Amino acid sequence: MLQAIALIELARAGWVESVEAHDRCWPVLVHQLLALSLAHEGITAEDAWAHLSKVPDFRGIHRAEFDRLLA
């Protein structure tokens, strides 16, 4: 509880480092592809792309790159 309070106080005082956003998270994309495939007992490339291309962490990945990954 004390650590949580300390973190909140540090954040209020401006001692929080900025978080860098990434839009080409390849390891997470691979993980999500595997998870989708297992959850749905397989998934088409079109359905996977339709779902994953909307995720902000993957918006920097282009369809051609996605297709190369699957190939």
Side-chain angles (χ1 to χ4, degrees), residues 9-67:
E9 291 302 316
L10 286 171
R12 285 183 181 165
W15 282 82
V16 177
E17 295 178 8
S18 62
V19 177
E20 187 177 325
H22 298 281
D23 63 355
R24 294 180 57 83
C25 298
W26 289 100
V28 178
L29 176 68
V30 171
H31 180 270
Q32 291 300 306
L33 278 169
L34 292 172
L36 281 171
S37 183
L38 287 171
H40 300 284
E41 297 181 3
I43 189 168
T44 67
E46 293 300 321
D47 288 344
W49 178 252
H51 178 74
L52 296 172
S53 65
K54 297 175 185 171
V55 177
D57 292 347
F58 312 135
R59 77 174 147 241
I61 297 172
H62 303 286
R63 177 62 195 253
E65 295 173 306
F66 178 79
D67 289 339

